């Protein structure tokens, strides 16, 4: 059985000695936020964090890695454009995977062919969503890179989250599906700063996710430099890491296991708010939320207040887009509420993309009680999704992003 699996997992190896593997990896959205590093080189966090992995049918990165003895140098193309392979974080990931692969080979455990680890690689990666729009593209990007390299070079999965973490902290959580925690760890070398699954994607099937895209523009302050300034200047960040997060992690795991939506939603909103409070406590302050984000926050609170319970929760990362968690039963009405208070362009592209949302009627009483002025075109579109699985290998060679010449196919450029 083991030998059969090994054979199936072998990357394709054609006559020219080109080995090719393609994989996909998901985006994750934190409900307990990671903000601040204790070691910037190894990317070790100041606090633990916890996220929900989103379904790849709606949001994913696809990466093809090819290696060949004929390649002259390592090269990378991101969303159709060649980028600098000497990016230090990319180099950390490549070096770490090659190191683990050699180690395995020396112990006789490897499944990949003996010489490939010394060959140069070509990497081609595309996202099916806008990069740097606050949708955590670095998380799915580095998770996908590391996972694909591991398939090519035969590296065991337990080691991968430590490698992906060195590409981008939040990337370590995208190596698992469902509900995932990243434990901060205590060791100086970071060996115990790893991601682990709390529950799988099928544990809470009623949980649904909406991404309210208010702006697809590039964010102003990147998370890496933003959190650096926060660590340097915010006293609130230290209090959060020492006092708040340890108990919130325990509580979050408990409420997920109990599928207690009101408690999950309240804790998610409070943690998002505390993260943005730290951004304001940073000097000079960082503003990720805009007017539209503030309106969405008010709408969610007014909606919950109308029902006297938390039916919908928001969370915001380093950008103005809102991510909404809710239960399937409340989804149609809440989407209708969003449509009413943020009327979309009439003839524009579809407003709700992704998983189908049934239509619903709104009572006059609910609209009156929410009592907000509608903001036409305030939200560009909604992506409707749910929790999903971790990285996957793409078996069909037609889906490789690199051609037989080891260069990006046209489809990977125009993506
Ligand atoms: C607000 O993982 O992008 O999304 O480790 O510097 O690459 P680096 O930062 P990154 O930070 C993500 C911050 C966040 C919260 C979170 O995802 O936990």
């Amino acid at each position: 059985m083991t030998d059969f699996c090994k054979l199936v997992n072998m990357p394709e190896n054609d006559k020219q000695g080109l080995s090719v593997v393609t994989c996909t990896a998901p985006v994750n959205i934190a409900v307990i936020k990671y903000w601040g590093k204790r070691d910037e080189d190894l990317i070790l966090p100041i606090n633990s964090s916890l996220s929900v992995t989103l379904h790849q049918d709606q949001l994913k990165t696809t990466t093809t890695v090819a290696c060949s003895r004929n390649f002259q140098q390592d090269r990378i193309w991101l969303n159709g454009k060649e980028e600098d392979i000497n990016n230090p974080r990319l180099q950390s990931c490549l070096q770490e995977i090659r190191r683990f692969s050699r180690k395995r080979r020396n112990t006789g455990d490897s499944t990949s062919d003996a010489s490939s680890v010394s060959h140069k690689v070509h990497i081609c990666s595309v996202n099916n969503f806008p990069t740097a729009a606050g949708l955590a593209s670095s998380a799915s990007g580095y998770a996908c890179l590391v996972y694909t390299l591991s398939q090519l070079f035969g590296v065991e999965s337990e080691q991968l989250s430590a490698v992906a973490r060195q590409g981008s902290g939040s990337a370590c959580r995208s190596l698992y599906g469902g509900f995932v925690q990243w434990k901060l760890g205590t060791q100086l070398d970071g060996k115990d700063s790893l991601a682990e699954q709390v529950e799988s994607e099928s544990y809470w099937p009623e949980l649904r996710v909406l991404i309210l895209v208010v702006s697809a523009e590039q964010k102003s302050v990147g998370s890496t430099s933003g959190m650096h300034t926060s660590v340097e200047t915010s006293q609130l960040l230290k209090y959060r890491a020492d006092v708040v997060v340890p108990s919130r992690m325990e509580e979050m795991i408990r409420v997920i296991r109990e599928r207690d939506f009101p408690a999950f939603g309240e804790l998610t909103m409070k943690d998002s708010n505390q993260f943005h409070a730290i951004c304001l406590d940073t000097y000079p302050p960082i503003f990720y939320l805009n007017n539209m984000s503030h309106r969405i926050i008010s709408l969610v609170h007014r909606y919950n207040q109308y029902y006297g319970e938390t039916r919908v929760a928001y969370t915001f990362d380093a950008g103005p887009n809102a991510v909404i968690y809710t239960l399937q039963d409340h989804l149609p009405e809440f989407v209708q509420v969003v449509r009413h208070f943020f009327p979309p362009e009439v003839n524009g592209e579809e407003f709700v993309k992704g998983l189908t949302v049934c239509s619903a009627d709104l009572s006059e009483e609910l609209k009156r009680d929410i009592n907000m002025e509608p903001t036409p075109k305030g939200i560009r579109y909604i992506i409707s999704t749910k929790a999903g699985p971790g990285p996957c290998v793409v078996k069909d060679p037609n889906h490789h992003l690199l051609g037989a010449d080891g260069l990006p196919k046209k489809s990977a450029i125009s993506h």
Side-chain angles (χ1 to χ4, degrees), residues 28-30 32-35 37 43 49-50 89 136 138-139 165 167-171 173 182 219 223-225 227 275 316-318:
N28 72 75
I29 298 293
I32 301 291
K33 304 290 186 194
Y34 146 55
W35 197 251
K37 298 178 184 69
I43 311 201
S49 56
L50 199 151
R89 288 174 170 208
S138 65
R165 191 200 72 223
S168 179
S170 55
R173 299 186 310 238
W182 171 15
K219 58 195 171 197
S223 11
T224 306
S225 74
M227 68 175 82
F275 155 49
F316 295 84
D317 283 337

Side-chain angles (χ1 to χ4, degrees), residues 179-208:
F179 301 84
V180 184
Q181 63 171 324
W182 171 15
K183 290 183 166 169
L184 83 159
T186 53
Q187 291 179 25
L188 282 177
D189 61 9
K191 286 214 172 72
D192 59 349
S193 186
L194 301 170
E196 70 180 47
Q197 189 175 60
V198 173
E199 291 295 346
S200 85
E201 60 275 18
S202 54
Y203 186 77
W204 197 354
E206 300 81 15
L207 188 71
R208 295 287 297 265

Side-chain angles (χ1 to χ4, degrees), residues 33 214 219-220 269 272-277 279-280 286-297 314-323:
K33 304 290 186 194
V214 304
K219 58 195 171 197
S220 49
M269 291 188 281
S272 172
N273 293 341
Q274 188 172 74
F275 155 49
H276 291 279
C279 292
L280 286 184
I286 307 168
F287 309 103
Y288 287 125
L289 306 182
N290 65 17
N291 272 343
M292 228 42 72
S293 320
H294 292 141
R295 279 171 196 267
I296 293 165
I297 291 173
Y314 54 77
T315 184
F316 295 84
D317 283 337
N321 295 335
V323 176

